[in-house]
PDB file of all heavy atoms in Angstrom:
ATOM      1  N   GLN T   1      24.762  32.133 114.795  1.00 83.00           N
ATOM      2  CA  GLN T   1      23.497  31.413 114.717  1.00 83.00           C
ATOM      3  C   GLN T   1      23.558  30.139 115.553  1.00 83.00           C
ATOM      4  O   GLN T   1      24.566  29.444 115.569  1.00 83.00           O
ATOM      5  CB  GLN T   1      23.164  31.068 113.271  1.00 83.00           C
ATOM      6  CG  GLN T   1      21.800  30.417 113.085  1.00 83.00           C
ATOM      7  CD  GLN T   1      21.473  30.189 111.619  1.00 83.00           C
ATOM      8  OE1 GLN T   1      22.222  30.610 110.748  1.00 83.00           O
ATOM      9  NE2 GLN T   1      20.370  29.528 111.351  1.00 83.00           N
ATOM     10  N   GLY T   2      22.457  29.856 116.255  1.00 85.00           N
ATOM     11  CA  GLY T   2      22.401  28.653 117.067  1.00 85.00           C
ATOM     12  C   GLY T   2      22.191  27.401 116.242  1.00 85.00           C
ATOM     13  O   GLY T   2      21.895  27.462 115.047  1.00 85.00           O
ATOM     14  N   HIS T   3      22.350  26.250 116.868  1.00 86.00           N
ATOM     15  CA  HIS T   3      22.211  24.966 116.188  1.00 86.00           C
ATOM     16  C   HIS T   3      20.902  24.263 116.518  1.00 86.00           C
ATOM     17  O   HIS T   3      20.756  23.064 116.280  1.00 86.00           O
ATOM     18  CB  HIS T   3      23.395  24.051 116.539  1.00 86.00           C
ATOM     19  CG  HIS T   3      24.677  24.466 115.891  1.00 86.00           C
ATOM     20  ND1 HIS T   3      25.404  25.556 116.305  1.00 86.00           N
ATOM     21  CD2 HIS T   3      25.352  23.931 114.846  1.00 86.00           C
ATOM     22  CE1 HIS T   3      26.483  25.675 115.543  1.00 86.00           C
ATOM     23  NE2 HIS T   3      26.473  24.708 114.654  1.00 86.00           N
ATOM     24  N   LEU T   4      19.940  24.997 117.069  1.00 92.00           N
ATOM     25  CA  LEU T   4      18.634  24.423 117.382  1.00 92.00           C
ATOM     26  C   LEU T   4      17.545  25.162 116.616  1.00 92.00           C
ATOM     27  O   LEU T   4      17.632  26.371 116.392  1.00 92.00           O
ATOM     28  CB  LEU T   4      18.335  24.527 118.884  1.00 92.00           C
ATOM     29  CG  LEU T   4      19.230  23.743 119.838  1.00 92.00           C
ATOM     30  CD1 LEU T   4      18.854  24.076 121.279  1.00 92.00           C
ATOM     31  CD2 LEU T   4      19.103  22.242 119.605  1.00 92.00           C
ATOM     32  N   TYR T   5      16.511  24.417 116.226  1.00 94.00           N
ATOM     33  CA  TYR T   5      15.351  25.033 115.596  1.00 94.00           C
ATOM     34  C   TYR T   5      14.141  24.815 116.498  1.00 94.00           C
ATOM     35  O   TYR T   5      13.816  23.678 116.840  1.00 94.00           O
ATOM     36  CB  TYR T   5      15.082  24.428 114.212  1.00 94.00           C
ATOM     37  CG  TYR T   5      13.824  24.977 113.578  1.00 94.00           C
ATOM     38  CD1 TYR T   5      13.807  26.243 112.988  1.00 94.00           C
ATOM     39  CD2 TYR T   5      12.641  24.241 113.598  1.00 94.00           C
ATOM     40  CE1 TYR T   5      12.658  26.761 112.430  1.00 94.00           C
ATOM     41  CE2 TYR T   5      11.483  24.757 113.037  1.00 94.00           C
ATOM     42  CZ  TYR T   5      11.495  26.007 112.451  1.00 94.00           C
ATOM     43  OH  TYR T   5      10.353  26.510 111.908  1.00 94.00           O
ATOM     44  N   PHE T   6      13.497  25.900 116.874  1.00 96.00           N
ATOM     45  CA  PHE T   6      12.314  25.850 117.721  1.00 96.00           C
ATOM     46  C   PHE T   6      11.080  26.111 116.861  1.00 96.00           C
ATOM     47  O   PHE T   6      11.027  27.095 116.124  1.00 96.00           O
ATOM     48  CB  PHE T   6      12.387  26.900 118.831  1.00 96.00           C
ATOM     49  CG  PHE T   6      13.394  26.605 119.899  1.00 96.00           C
ATOM     50  CD1 PHE T   6      14.754  26.810 119.672  1.00 96.00           C
ATOM     51  CD2 PHE T   6      12.995  26.123 121.136  1.00 96.00           C
ATOM     52  CE1 PHE T   6      15.689  26.540 120.655  1.00 96.00           C
ATOM     53  CE2 PHE T   6      13.925  25.843 122.130  1.00 96.00           C
ATOM     54  CZ  PHE T   6      15.277  26.052 121.878  1.00 96.00           C
ATOM     55  N   ASP T   7      10.101  25.236 116.977  1.00 97.00           N
ATOM     56  CA  ASP T   7       8.862  25.387 116.217  1.00 97.00           C
ATOM     57  C   ASP T   7       7.794  26.031 117.097  1.00 97.00           C
ATOM     58  O   ASP T   7       7.786  25.865 118.321  1.00 97.00           O
ATOM     59  CB  ASP T   7       8.373  24.008 115.753  1.00 97.00           C
ATOM     60  CG  ASP T   7       7.449  24.105 114.553  1.00 97.00           C
ATOM     61  OD1 ASP T   7       7.264  25.227 114.034  1.00 97.00           O
ATOM     62  OD2 ASP T   7       6.925  23.069 114.127  1.00 97.00           O
ATOM     63  N   ASP T   8       6.886  26.809 116.468  1.00 97.00           N
ATOM     64  CA  ASP T   8       5.745  27.334 117.212  1.00 97.00           C
ATOM     65  C   ASP T   8       4.942  26.178 117.803  1.00 97.00           C
ATOM     66  O   ASP T   8       4.859  25.092 117.207  1.00 97.00           O
ATOM     67  CB  ASP T   8       4.816  28.139 116.292  1.00 97.00           C
ATOM     68  CG  ASP T   8       5.448  29.422 115.780  1.00 97.00           C
ATOM     69  OD1 ASP T   8       6.363  29.954 116.452  1.00 97.00           O
ATOM     70  OD2 ASP T   8       5.025  29.895 114.705  1.00 97.00           O
ATOM     71  N   ALA T   9       4.349  26.401 118.965  1.00 97.00           N
ATOM     72  CA  ALA T   9       3.456  25.402 119.555  1.00 97.00           C
ATOM     73  C   ALA T   9       2.031  25.705 119.109  1.00 97.00           C
ATOM     74  O   ALA T   9       1.461  26.723 119.477  1.00 97.00           O
ATOM     75  CB  ALA T   9       3.556  25.435 121.080  1.00 97.00           C
ATOM     76  N   GLU T  10       1.491  24.809 118.294  1.00 96.00           N
ATOM     77  CA  GLU T  10       0.152  24.997 117.743  1.00 96.00           C
ATOM     78  C   GLU T  10      -0.810  23.984 118.346  1.00 96.00           C
ATOM     79  O   GLU T  10      -0.399  22.952 118.893  1.00 96.00           O
ATOM     80  CB  GLU T  10       0.206  24.852 116.223  1.00 96.00           C
ATOM     81  CG  GLU T  10       1.130  25.887 115.570  1.00 96.00           C
ATOM     82  CD  GLU T  10       1.195  25.724 114.066  1.00 96.00           C
ATOM     83  OE1 GLU T  10       0.952  24.588 113.581  1.00 96.00           O
ATOM     84  OE2 GLU T  10       1.489  26.710 113.369  1.00 96.00           O
ATOM     85  N   LEU T  11      -2.085  24.259 118.256  1.00 96.00           N
ATOM     86  CA  LEU T  11      -3.104  23.410 118.871  1.00 96.00           C
ATOM     87  C   LEU T  11      -2.974  21.968 118.393  1.00 96.00           C
ATOM     88  O   LEU T  11      -2.871  21.702 117.191  1.00 96.00           O
ATOM     89  CB  LEU T  11      -4.496  23.940 118.561  1.00 96.00           C
ATOM     90  CG  LEU T  11      -4.862  25.290 119.188  1.00 96.00           C
ATOM     91  CD1 LEU T  11      -6.262  25.719 118.760  1.00 96.00           C
ATOM     92  CD2 LEU T  11      -4.777  25.230 120.709  1.00 96.00           C
ATOM     93  N   ALA T  12      -2.987  21.052 119.352  1.00 94.00           N
ATOM     94  CA  ALA T  12      -2.860  19.636 119.019  1.00 94.00           C
ATOM     95  C   ALA T  12      -4.109  19.110 118.322  1.00 94.00           C
ATOM     96  O   ALA T  12      -4.036  18.175 117.521  1.00 94.00           O
ATOM     97  CB  ALA T  12      -2.594  18.825 120.292  1.00 94.00           C
ATOM     98  N   ASP T  13      -5.245  19.689 118.629  1.00 91.00           N
ATOM     99  CA  ASP T  13      -6.515  19.277 118.027  1.00 91.00           C
ATOM    100  C   ASP T  13      -6.990  20.370 117.075  1.00 91.00           C
ATOM    101  O   ASP T  13      -7.368  21.458 117.511  1.00 91.00           O
ATOM    102  CB  ASP T  13      -7.564  19.042 119.116  1.00 91.00           C
ATOM    103  CG  ASP T  13      -8.898  18.558 118.555  1.00 91.00           C
ATOM    104  OD1 ASP T  13      -9.028  18.476 117.314  1.00 91.00           O
ATOM    105  OD2 ASP T  13      -9.803  18.263 119.350  1.00 91.00           O
ATOM    106  N   PRO T  14      -6.965  20.126 115.758  1.00 83.00           N
ATOM    107  CA  PRO T  14      -7.367  21.153 114.795  1.00 83.00           C
ATOM    108  C   PRO T  14      -8.869  21.427 114.795  1.00 83.00           C
ATOM    109  O   PRO T  14      -9.323  22.379 114.149  1.00 83.00           O
ATOM    110  CB  PRO T  14      -6.926  20.561 113.445  1.00 83.00           C
ATOM    111  CG  PRO T  14      -6.980  19.082 113.659  1.00 83.00           C
ATOM    112  CD  PRO T  14      -6.575  18.864 115.088  1.00 83.00           C
ATOM    113  N   ASP T  15      -9.629  20.622 115.512  1.00 87.00           N
ATOM    114  CA  ASP T  15     -11.089  20.756 115.481  1.00 87.00           C
ATOM    115  C   ASP T  15     -11.648  21.580 116.632  1.00 87.00           C
ATOM    116  O   ASP T  15     -12.855  21.592 116.859  1.00 87.00           O
ATOM    117  CB  ASP T  15     -11.741  19.368 115.477  1.00 87.00           C
ATOM    118  CG  ASP T  15     -11.395  18.585 114.227  1.00 87.00           C
ATOM    119  OD1 ASP T  15     -11.265  19.203 113.161  1.00 87.00           O
ATOM    120  OD2 ASP T  15     -11.232  17.349 114.320  1.00 87.00           O
ATOM    121  N   TYR T  16     -10.779  22.269 117.376  1.00 88.00           N
ATOM    122  CA  TYR T  16     -11.283  23.165 118.416  1.00 88.00           C
ATOM    123  C   TYR T  16     -12.222  24.202 117.799  1.00 88.00           C
ATOM    124  O   TYR T  16     -11.998  24.690 116.684  1.00 88.00           O
ATOM    125  CB  TYR T  16     -10.130  23.918 119.086  1.00 88.00           C
ATOM    126  CG  TYR T  16      -9.400  23.158 120.174  1.00 88.00           C
ATOM    127  CD1 TYR T  16      -8.053  22.817 120.017  1.00 88.00           C
ATOM    128  CD2 TYR T  16     -10.020  22.818 121.365  1.00 88.00           C
ATOM    129  CE1 TYR T  16      -7.358  22.154 121.015  1.00 88.00           C
ATOM    130  CE2 TYR T  16      -9.330  22.149 122.375  1.00 88.00           C
ATOM    131  CZ  TYR T  16      -8.005  21.826 122.196  1.00 88.00           C
ATOM    132  OH  TYR T  16      -7.320  21.166 123.176  1.00 88.00           O
ATOM    133  N   ASP T  17     -13.269  24.567 118.530  1.00 90.00           N
ATOM    134  CA  ASP T  17     -14.159  25.648 118.118  1.00 90.00           C
ATOM    135  C   ASP T  17     -13.445  26.970 118.409  1.00 90.00           C
ATOM    136  O   ASP T  17     -13.220  27.324 119.567  1.00 90.00           O
ATOM    137  CB  ASP T  17     -15.473  25.569 118.904  1.00 90.00           C
ATOM    138  CG  ASP T  17     -16.467  26.642 118.496  1.00 90.00           C
ATOM    139  OD1 ASP T  17     -16.081  27.580 117.760  1.00 90.00           O
ATOM    140  OD2 ASP T  17     -17.631  26.556 118.940  1.00 90.00           O
ATOM    141  N   VAL T  18     -13.080  27.713 117.358  1.00 91.00           N
ATOM    142  CA  VAL T  18     -12.287  28.933 117.517  1.00 91.00           C
ATOM    143  C   VAL T  18     -12.963  29.926 118.452  1.00 91.00           C
ATOM    144  O   VAL T  18     -12.299  30.619 119.232  1.00 91.00           O
ATOM    145  CB  VAL T  18     -12.023  29.585 116.138  1.00 91.00           C
ATOM    146  CG1 VAL T  18     -11.316  30.924 116.307  1.00 91.00           C
ATOM    147  CG2 VAL T  18     -11.187  28.663 115.266  1.00 91.00           C
ATOM    148  N   SER T  19     -14.267  29.978 118.433  1.00 89.00           N
ATOM    149  CA  SER T  19     -14.992  30.954 119.262  1.00 89.00           C
ATOM    150  C   SER T  19     -14.898  30.642 120.750  1.00 89.00           C
ATOM    151  O   SER T  19     -15.221  31.490 121.585  1.00 89.00           O
ATOM    152  CB  SER T  19     -16.465  31.014 118.840  1.00 89.00           C
ATOM    153  OG  SER T  19     -17.133  29.791 119.130  1.00 89.00           O
ATOM    154  N   GLN T  20     -14.439  29.423 121.085  1.00 93.00           N
ATOM    155  CA  GLN T  20     -14.375  29.009 122.494  1.00 93.00           C
ATOM    156  C   GLN T  20     -12.947  28.983 123.044  1.00 93.00           C
ATOM    157  O   GLN T  20     -12.727  28.519 124.162  1.00 93.00           O
ATOM    158  CB  GLN T  20     -14.987  27.605 122.637  1.00 93.00           C
ATOM    159  CG  GLN T  20     -16.426  27.492 122.152  1.00 93.00           C
ATOM    160  CD  GLN T  20     -17.374  28.364 122.958  1.00 93.00           C
ATOM    161  OE1 GLN T  20     -17.292  28.411 124.186  1.00 93.00           O
ATOM    162  NE2 GLN T  20     -18.267  29.052 122.272  1.00 93.00           N
ATOM    163  N   LEU T  21     -11.977  29.493 122.290  1.00 95.00           N
ATOM    164  CA  LEU T  21     -10.577  29.357 122.674  1.00 95.00           C
ATOM    165  C   LEU T  21     -10.064  30.502 123.547  1.00 95.00           C
ATOM    166  O   LEU T  21      -8.995  30.380 124.153  1.00 95.00           O
ATOM    167  CB  LEU T  21      -9.702  29.248 121.427  1.00 95.00           C
ATOM    168  CG  LEU T  21      -9.983  28.047 120.515  1.00 95.00           C
ATOM    169  CD1 LEU T  21      -9.045  28.063 119.319  1.00 95.00           C
ATOM    170  CD2 LEU T  21      -9.858  26.747 121.291  1.00 95.00           C
ATOM    171  N   THR T  22     -10.764  31.602 123.585  1.00 93.00           N
ATOM    172  CA  THR T  22     -10.338  32.750 124.390  1.00 93.00           C
ATOM    173  C   THR T  22     -11.514  33.293 125.188  1.00 93.00           C
ATOM    174  O   THR T  22     -12.673  32.996 124.900  1.00 93.00           O
ATOM    175  CB  THR T  22      -9.779  33.888 123.506  1.00 93.00           C
ATOM    176  OG1 THR T  22     -10.813  34.364 122.629  1.00 93.00           O
ATOM    177  CG2 THR T  22      -8.591  33.411 122.686  1.00 93.00           C
ATOM    178  N   ARG T  23     -11.181  34.081 126.201  1.00 88.00           N
ATOM    179  CA  ARG T  23     -12.220  34.762 126.968  1.00 88.00           C
ATOM    180  C   ARG T  23     -11.648  36.058 127.516  1.00 88.00           C
ATOM    181  O   ARG T  23     -10.421  36.227 127.600  1.00 88.00           O
ATOM    182  CB  ARG T  23     -12.716  33.884 128.115  1.00 88.00           C
ATOM    183  CG  ARG T  23     -11.714  33.536 129.195  1.00 88.00           C
ATOM    184  CD  ARG T  23     -12.270  32.461 130.116  1.00 88.00           C
ATOM    185  NE  ARG T  23     -11.378  32.109 131.201  1.00 88.00           N
ATOM    186  CZ  ARG T  23     -11.532  32.517 132.461  1.00 88.00           C
ATOM    187  NH1 ARG T  23     -12.555  33.309 132.769  1.00 88.00           N
ATOM    188  NH2 ARG T  23     -10.692  32.161 133.405  1.00 88.00           N
ATOM    189  N   GLU T  24     -12.523  36.982 127.876  1.00 85.00           N
ATOM    190  CA  GLU T  24     -12.090  38.276 128.380  1.00 85.00           C
ATOM    191  C   GLU T  24     -12.021  38.272 129.897  1.00 85.00           C
ATOM    192  O   GLU T  24     -12.868  37.677 130.561  1.00 85.00           O
ATOM    193  CB  GLU T  24     -13.025  39.385 127.890  1.00 85.00           C
ATOM    194  CG  GLU T  24     -12.949  39.596 126.388  1.00 85.00           C
ATOM    195  CD  GLU T  24     -13.871  40.701 125.907  1.00 85.00           C
ATOM    196  OE1 GLU T  24     -14.574  41.297 126.767  1.00 85.00           O
ATOM    197  OE2 GLU T  24     -13.897  40.979 124.694  1.00 85.00           O
ATOM    198  N   ARG T  25     -10.983  38.936 130.411  1.00 77.00           N
ATOM    199  CA  ARG T  25     -10.811  39.041 131.868  1.00 77.00           C
ATOM    200  C   ARG T  25     -10.387  40.455 132.227  1.00 77.00           C
ATOM    201  O   ARG T  25      -9.643  41.098 131.481  1.00 77.00           O
ATOM    202  CB  ARG T  25      -9.750  38.051 132.373  1.00 77.00           C
ATOM    203  CG  ARG T  25     -10.154  36.602 132.250  1.00 77.00           C
ATOM    204  CD  ARG T  25      -9.158  35.691 132.924  1.00 77.00           C
ATOM    205  NE  ARG T  25      -9.092  35.933 134.364  1.00 77.00           N
ATOM    206  CZ  ARG T  25      -8.312  35.247 135.202  1.00 77.00           C
ATOM    207  NH1 ARG T  25      -7.544  34.276 134.732  1.00 77.00           N
ATOM    208  NH2 ARG T  25      -8.293  35.510 136.481  1.00 77.00           N
ATOM    209  N   LYS T  26     -10.866  40.928 133.364  1.00 70.00           N
ATOM    210  CA  LYS T  26     -10.466  42.234 133.873  1.00 70.00           C
ATOM    211  C   LYS T  26      -9.486  42.034 135.029  1.00 70.00           C
ATOM    212  O   LYS T  26      -9.617  41.091 135.796  1.00 70.00           O
ATOM    213  CB  LYS T  26     -11.676  43.021 134.379  1.00 70.00           C
ATOM    214  CG  LYS T  26     -12.699  43.355 133.303  1.00 70.00           C
ATOM    215  CD  LYS T  26     -13.882  44.092 133.926  1.00 70.00           C
ATOM    216  CE  LYS T  26     -14.943  44.392 132.876  1.00 70.00           C
ATOM    217  NZ  LYS T  26     -16.129  45.064 133.475  1.00 70.00           N
ATOM    218  N   ARG T  27      -8.520  42.943 135.138  1.00 66.00           N
ATOM    219  CA  ARG T  27      -7.626  42.909 136.290  1.00 66.00           C
ATOM    220  C   ARG T  27      -7.069  44.304 136.543  1.00 66.00           C
ATOM    221  O   ARG T  27      -7.102  45.178 135.672  1.00 66.00           O
ATOM    222  CB  ARG T  27      -6.492  41.905 136.106  1.00 66.00           C
ATOM    223  CG  ARG T  27      -5.410  42.279 135.114  1.00 66.00           C
ATOM    224  CD  ARG T  27      -4.362  41.176 135.080  1.00 66.00           C
ATOM    225  NE  ARG T  27      -3.287  41.464 134.154  1.00 66.00           N
ATOM    226  CZ  ARG T  27      -2.128  42.040 134.506  1.00 66.00           C
ATOM    227  NH1 ARG T  27      -1.940  42.418 135.764  1.00 66.00           N
ATOM    228  NH2 ARG T  27      -1.178  42.256 133.620  1.00 66.00           N
ATOM    229  N   ILE T  28      -6.559  44.504 137.748  1.00 61.00           N
ATOM    230  CA  ILE T  28      -5.963  45.778 138.140  1.00 61.00           C
ATOM    231  C   ILE T  28      -4.456  45.703 137.928  1.00 61.00           C
ATOM    232  O   ILE T  28      -3.796  44.764 138.381  1.00 61.00           O
ATOM    233  CB  ILE T  28      -6.258  46.098 139.618  1.00 61.00           C
ATOM    234  CG1 ILE T  28      -7.764  46.150 139.864  1.00 61.00           C
ATOM    235  CG2 ILE T  28      -5.588  47.403 140.025  1.00 61.00           C
ATOM    236  CD1 ILE T  28      -8.469  47.271 139.146  1.00 61.00           C
ATOM    237  N   ALA T  29      -3.912  46.688 137.220  1.00 60.00           N
ATOM    238  CA  ALA T  29      -2.473  46.738 136.987  1.00 60.00           C
ATOM    239  C   ALA T  29      -1.800  47.489 138.125  1.00 60.00           C
ATOM    240  O   ALA T  29      -2.196  48.604 138.473  1.00 60.00           O
ATOM    241  CB  ALA T  29      -2.173  47.429 135.660  1.00 60.00           C
ATOM    242  N   LEU T  30      -0.766  46.867 138.708  1.00 55.00           N
ATOM    243  CA  LEU T  30      -0.053  47.462 139.834  1.00 55.00           C
ATOM    244  C   LEU T  30       1.362  47.866 139.428  1.00 55.00           C
ATOM    245  O   LEU T  30       1.995  47.207 138.596  1.00 55.00           O
ATOM    246  CB  LEU T  30       0.028  46.473 141.004  1.00 55.00           C
ATOM    247  CG  LEU T  30      -1.293  45.998 141.589  1.00 55.00           C
ATOM    248  CD1 LEU T  30      -1.028  44.961 142.677  1.00 55.00           C
ATOM    249  CD2 LEU T  30      -2.086  47.166 142.160  1.00 55.00           C
ATOM    250  N   ASP T  31       1.842  48.937 140.017  1.00 57.00           N
ATOM    251  CA  ASP T  31       3.242  49.317 139.891  1.00 57.00           C
ATOM    252  C   ASP T  31       3.983  48.538 140.977  1.00 57.00           C
ATOM    253  O   ASP T  31       3.942  48.884 142.156  1.00 57.00           O
ATOM    254  CB  ASP T  31       3.403  50.823 140.107  1.00 57.00           C
ATOM    255  CG  ASP T  31       4.840  51.297 139.904  1.00 57.00           C
ATOM    256  OD1 ASP T  31       5.765  50.513 140.191  1.00 57.00           O
ATOM    257  OD2 ASP T  31       5.031  52.443 139.466  1.00 57.00           O
ATOM    258  N   ARG T  32       4.657  47.440 140.603  1.00 56.00           N
ATOM    259  CA  ARG T  32       5.259  46.556 141.597  1.00 56.00           C
ATOM    260  C   ARG T  32       6.395  47.238 142.370  1.00 56.00           C
ATOM    261  O   ARG T  32       6.609  46.948 143.549  1.00 56.00           O
ATOM    262  CB  ARG T  32       5.774  45.281 140.924  1.00 56.00           C
ATOM    263  CG  ARG T  32       4.680  44.411 140.336  1.00 56.00           C
ATOM    264  CD  ARG T  32       5.225  43.033 139.977  1.00 56.00           C
ATOM    265  NE  ARG T  32       4.206  42.241 139.331  1.00 56.00           N
ATOM    266  CZ  ARG T  32       4.030  42.167 138.017  1.00 56.00           C
ATOM    267  NH1 ARG T  32       4.811  42.875 137.228  1.00 56.00           N
ATOM    268  NH2 ARG T  32       3.084  41.425 137.490  1.00 56.00           N
ATOM    269  N   LYS T  33       7.107  48.148 141.717  1.00 60.00           N
ATOM    270  CA  LYS T  33       8.214  48.808 142.385  1.00 60.00           C
ATOM    271  C   LYS T  33       7.725  49.697 143.526  1.00 60.00           C
ATOM    272  O   LYS T  33       8.261  49.673 144.630  1.00 60.00           O
ATOM    273  CB  LYS T  33       9.020  49.636 141.375  1.00 60.00           C
ATOM    274  CG  LYS T  33      10.217  50.342 141.991  1.00 60.00           C
ATOM    275  CD  LYS T  33      11.007  51.102 140.928  1.00 60.00           C
ATOM    276  CE  LYS T  33      12.209  51.816 141.555  1.00 60.00           C
ATOM    277  NZ  LYS T  33      12.981  52.572 140.525  1.00 60.00           N
TER     278      LYS T  33
END
């Protein structure tokens, strides 16, 4: 076991409007190889 504890990074401002935090995007998936 390591000697460090990492905490989740949560929103600094709890008053964000949840409905405005994400958006949908389209993209083309490529086979890089």
